[in-house]
Amino acid sequence: MTKFVLATANPDKAREIVALLAQAAPDVDLEGRPADVPDVAEVGETLEDNARMKAVALSAATDLPSIADDTGLHVDALGGAPGVQTARYAGEGATYADNVAKLLDELAGVPLERRSARFATVAIARWPDGLEVAALGEVDGVITTGARGEGGFGYDPVFVPLEGDGRTFAEMSEEEKHTLSHRARAFATLAQGLRVIQETEDR
């Protein structure tokens, strides 16, 4: 079993990633991010940049392989925003509710047919020697005109995946969300890459 340190400091994301990898990569032993490791400034121009910066920083700080991710919500009517600023859309320290409120305010008056959006997650596994596996997961959807549902986190209450049945992610159970979500797809692909590396090392 390979031990990885998880880069995210967001407890909701950490819980979801642990659940996803427990299913997709049961041979991965995830260790939580050490409390004494400082936050990594997410100043990259792309999701991949930010995920890699976090992975590199955690590997350097712990001398362990690390797993990091970054997620962006890209809304067509807003020119792709919030994008890399998804977690900080309403400013540094913004809550989930703050970000959702700003998004709905920016889309006020925009008809449903023009509220198309895409969630994307880049997940990266990084070893201290520089070996790396990267994966992308995406899901297309629509932004609702108001929050719906009590589950999930972040923008889940206002995102309806096109492959679903009309419910937002927040109206789904965790199991239902994990069959469709961008993060689930990214980590399923990452798990495949980890298996290839493990099989290569075992030869």
Side-chain angles (χ1 to χ4, degrees), residues 88-107:
R88 302 168 296 282
Y89 193 38
E92 292 294 335
T95 65
Y96 296 148
D98 293 336
N99 286 331
V100 167
K102 178 173 181 179
L103 178 65
L104 293 179
D105 185 59
E106 294 285 344
L107 289 174

